[in-house]
Amino acid sequence: MIPLEYELALAGILFGIGIFGIIYRKNAIIVLMSVEIILNAAIMNLVAFSSYAINPITGDPGGQVFAVLAIAIAAGEVCIGLGIYIVYFRSRKDINLEEATRLR
Amino acid sequence: MEWDLVWFLALAIIEIVGSVAVVLSRKLVHSAFWLAVTLITMSGIYILLKSEFVALIQLLVYAGAVPILFLFGIVLTRRGEEE
Amino acid sequence: MLIDFPIISSILIVSLLGTLLIYLFPAGDRGTKWFAVLLSLVPLALSTVLLLGIVAPGSVELTSISAGGQEFLAYEKAEWIPQAGISFEFGVDQLSGPLVFLTSLLTTLGMIFSWGEKHRTKEFFAMLLFMQATVAGVFVSLDLFLFFVFWEGGLLPMYFLIAVWGGPKKKYASMKFFLFTQAASLLVLLGILVFYWMSGTFSIVEILNQGQVIPLGLYTDLLFFALLLGFGTKLPMVPLHTWLPDAHVEAPTAGSVLLAGVLLKMGGYGLIRFNVQMLPGVSDGLYVLVAVIGIVSIVYGAFVCLAQDDLKRLVAFSSVSHMGFVTLGIGAAMLGGSKLAMAGAVFQLFAHGLISAALFMIAGALGHNVGTRLISKLHGAAKRIPNTAGFMMVAFMASLGLPGLVGFVAEFTVFLGVYEGFEAFFGSGLWVLIPAVAIVITAGYYLFAMQRAMFGPEEEDAGEMKDLHSFEILPLAVLMFFIALLGILPYLLFDPILGWVGGLV
Amino acid sequence: MFEYALLIVAAPLVAFLLIIIFGRWTRQGGAAIAIAALGTSFIVSVILFAQVLGLGALGAPVSEEVFKYNWIGPIEFGLLIDNVSALMMVLVSFLCLIIGIYSLGYMAEDKSKTRYYAEFVLFTAGMLGTVSANNFLQFLIFWETMGLCSYLLIGFWYEKSEAASAAKKAFMVTRVGDMLLLIGIMAIFASLGTFNIVEIQARGIPAGALMHVIPLLLFAGAVGKSAQFPLHIWLPDAMEGPTTVSALIHAATMVKAGVFLVARSFPLVAASDIASITVICIGGFTAIFAASMALVAFDIKRVLAYSTISQIGYMILGLGAAALLFEAGHASHGFTASMYHLMNHAFFKALLFLAAGSVIHAVGTNDMRVMGGLHSKMKITSIAMLFGALALSGIPPFSGFWSKDAILHEVFVAGEMYGAIFTFIWVAGVITAFLTAFYAFRLWFMTFAGKTRGDIHPHESPRVMTYPLIALAVFALISGMLAVVIGGFGHLVTFGGTVHEGTMELLTEIFTSPLTYITLFAAVAGIGLAYIVYCKQRVSSEIFVSTSVGRGMQKLLQNRYYLDAAYRGFALHVGMGIARAADWFDRNVIDGVVNGSAKLGLLVARGSDAVDRKGVDGAVDGIAYVVTGSSNRARARQTGQIQAYIAAMVMGMFVVALIMLIYLSGGW
């Protein structure tokens, strides 16, 4: 059995890397990928907690249900995000986030 | 028991290295590849956590569909040969 | 004789109404100035009645209400926003009464002094009247919400006075002034809200009656600290003083007079009313902090003065130094329980109002009449402009604390109280030597300025120099009269203050 | 019963106001008002003095406080009338009157007479108020009034830059002493709860560290005002003022206020051996130190200024010795002697200055090197000055002899009781007597004897100036003897018990003591040396500087032991250095705070409202002036960029997490 702390530490590290990517990279697609990494870290927490909760053999299925739901939503989010990028690219010929300040 | 831990550590290292590579790669295509690696490794970890169903979904939806979507996005928003 | 007439609201209404009425005059009308000055005499007369009611209760009797062992005179109350417990509630005591009088006096004198103002005269005088109303409002409000309204309102006329009638760097100076004081206002607002939450009322009278509204402990100390920063910026205390020199240098003379004379006093008033009266019993460390800030302000301000060439900047830094006596007095009074220190601090508010007004009038007059305020460019000017030099000498002597003038009374009582307080708290009163060094430095920078600007051989090719106009001499003479009167017979004002402080420390 | 004493102080004060308001329209620029007020003060003080003496049956100290009122709170002001203050009031008002009359001639041609007389009477009021104050705070107030008048009168001819800087120097240096005095007074109040002099004298300072500190702080004030080492440097420069001012303020009255302060706080000084010894050492050292500098000065007024410092050193020395002996249970002869010397010195030093003023008025310069042979041209001045010089040198029966002898006698007694150090100071005092006689007659011979050295056309001064000289010359001759005739000065002023001596006993005591002859011999030797060198010129004055040691000494003395330069350097480099550093700090470092808040303001302004953009742009422009290159980058980052917002959000998250962590872990 892997100790819970290890799972959480790994999730935290992934989360940090994701945040770093969001802040550091200028390219919008990489930023979206970093968001995916963050989401993964979060889902992993769900799964990890569920497998350690209540019944050590089967775990708590609630966490897994949420994890599956989150995975589905994440996939959808990637579709929408990329869609926006493509539209944006058509109008601006660029998806550098430094230039994207029209919303200010 | 011991082997679980060994597997986990190995997967975790791949995971971390992979995600760092996602963030730092100069080329977008490489990033997409490394993202796929990360997501696949993740499903391995889910198996270690005895959540086989989640691992399956992860493999199908995430590791299968998402990188492909990204590749489409990359291709469609490519501008010249810069990145 | 008992006076049952709503004096305070009359003061405010007359000033506010006057502000509007002045706008009705056609631009460039010569009657505007007369109207403004004559109108400002009404609040002055009413404030004199208030002052008499405070310093000579035998001659004028005002309606009073007691609050937490202290009394507020000329008390008035009317509903405003009853749903939130906000009302028009006015009253003065020995702390605020003299300051209201000072506000009215300096407004009138500042108007007379600005008789020569040519640029947008109408608006200028309207702004001065508006300022009078807001600043007096701060001092007389017994409702925290109303207090804050006036407190914020006072920023506007000052901002415009600097931004419209100011010197070459007026934009920068006015913005700096506004940002600084606005940031300070936020902290004050925070403090007011905390008071409201803890006591359930905005009324100062009720809060004082409730006694210890805020439970002792960390929150009290934090609140004290926040209010200290808020009021300390206005005071100003080092290191939050940097807006002051710029604002003063750029402001028109009447603006400087009111800024130094009464706007700074709002900070001192707030410190005593909120931090001392309404927030008793915070930890000693904070009072030590206050005292240390006072000492640093006094000595640091004096040293910076020594290096200034612009007379207005010099006087501005001397304000930093002299307002340090207020902070030091408060700190020492709360540390050692010295009534004299607190009374000295209150007295210093009034004394410094008179002295700094005179100083800024002289610096301003030099700017108008001679064309420069730079000490290094005024060689031997005394021969050409003897009246200016004479008034400058008296004002400098008052400011450096020459006995027999009002500044000495305040400084001496603060030092005496500090000696007592430090002896009670630190075991030795001789620590007072550190701030006392400023006595020598203060004499140094004033005498140095006097010697270089006024004395010495006359410059051959100095440009035309005009001496004071008669409308400039009048306000200065009035100020000198008060400076000398309260220096020789300080008990007129000091004893009522001392009596009031007796219930505080 | 002394209520009318208020008139003594009030008359000059009223005159001050009258002269300010009406002075320019009256004859002589208000001189008439001034003289009338000074005359009133003098007459009333004489009546008062007679009454005090009559009450006390010659000698028993009387003290009464009159005209009390509360200055602030519990602090009570009023007048204290006793032997010392009555004597001082007579002395001061007499000298002010005499010198006021002299000014009629001396200042006749000056344009700013009104200002002169206004400041003159204000000074008189200050001095009279100082000597009659019943508490130390009132004392300080009038003391500072004197300081102000001294400042204004030194800088009377402010067009001269030397006068302006001398005035500033005088005020600054005395201010250092005043600051310490102020703290001393506050310390007294803190430990006794009163400023009242009578009460303080009666109760004394409770034992402890303050017992030594307080008299020392008070003495520091005296050191500043009386120009004692190390705060003596202002007095020689103060000679830039009109000579009448030098005579009155910087010789006869104001500089004596320090001595008077020590006398008023005598029990406090006596209670502390450290303070007594400090007083003795400072007094003794100043006496010889200042006398040495007088040897090389060529400015006639500066010689007299150094002489004043030196003579006041004697008075301080006498008071210190008296304090030491008083504590050991002896009578306060030294106290009496010092006050005696104070009175005599006031007369003869005023005389010397006024005579010098007469000379300056006649020849138009201060430099003794161009004078000489004036005796034939201005006989009255010359004789008067000779009287003054004899009194200063201590030749009987002139006044200086009696009091100086009494002081040195007291110091010698202290030396016998307490050991070598005081004997050493006594020797210094005798050497000072020698030097004093030498420079006094060097001055007289250089000015009046021999032949005229420069191109000058002297003439005797008008009668309005010579009559005061004659009056003072008479006093220089008899003021010492008068006290002897009534059986010793102790009958007039003493501290503690009375002193009853007959005239003959006193004379016998003085003239049978070998000490008297030692001092006398020193003085005569000084005069003789001056006669040989400067009158007969049998020996050239060059022999003093013929050796390298002599030359070195001369250079050292002419540069006033380099103390002026040292102080100046300290003020310019250390004082102004700190000031410049503070100014730099304010302009550069504290404005960093401003930059920070300007940035904050920028952020708030930018984010607030697009409609408001135009109005805010004014602010942005103004602030951008302050915000230099670094802020440009910050601005680019923080406006409209999603990543910057995320970064901020994450940081906020961390802060929240941290707070929660601390909170959950259970403690602030």
Side-chain angles (χ1 to χ4, degrees), chain D residues 287-295 310 428-441 522-523 526:
Chain D
I288 191 164
F289 176 76
S292 69
M293 288 188 285
L295 298 176
S310 163
V430 173
I431 294 173
T432 309
F434 166 75
L435 296 176
T436 308
F438 176 73
Y439 69 67
F441 276 87

Side-chain angles (χ1 to χ4, degrees), chain A residues 39-83:
Chain A
L39 274 171
N40 252 300
I43 293 167
M44 192 162 106
N45 271 359
L46 284 175
V47 176
F49 278 118
S50 88
S51 67
Y52 283 89
I54 308 170
N55 186 339
I57 313 293
T58 60
D60 179 7
Q64 296 189 21
V65 171
F66 275 114
V68 172
L69 207 61
I71 288 170
I73 292 173
E77 171 234 312
V78 170
C79 290
I80 296 169
L82 284 171

Side-chain angles (χ1 to χ4, degrees), chain A residues 15 19 22-26 31 97-98 100-101 104, chain D residues 606 613 637 639-643 645-647 650 653:
Chain A
F15 183 85
I19 290 286
I22 288 180
I23 295 172
Y24 179 74
R25 294 305 299 261
K26 310 265 181 289
V31 169
L97 278 184
E98 266 200 337
T101 56
R104 75 176 179 187
Chain D
R606 280 269 169 134
R613 206 175 299 156
R637 281 261 169 108
T639 49
Q641 258 204 17
I642 207 150
Q643 284 170 314
Y645 294 146
I646 293 172
V650 170
M653 240 160 61

Side-chain angles (χ1 to χ4, degrees), chain D residues 301-317:
Chain D
K301 283 173 75 180
R302 281 192 183 228
V303 174
L304 294 177
Y306 287 124
S307 156
T308 306
I309 301 175
S310 163
Q311 294 297 312
I312 294 173
Y314 268 129
M315 296 170 211
I316 298 274
L317 173 62

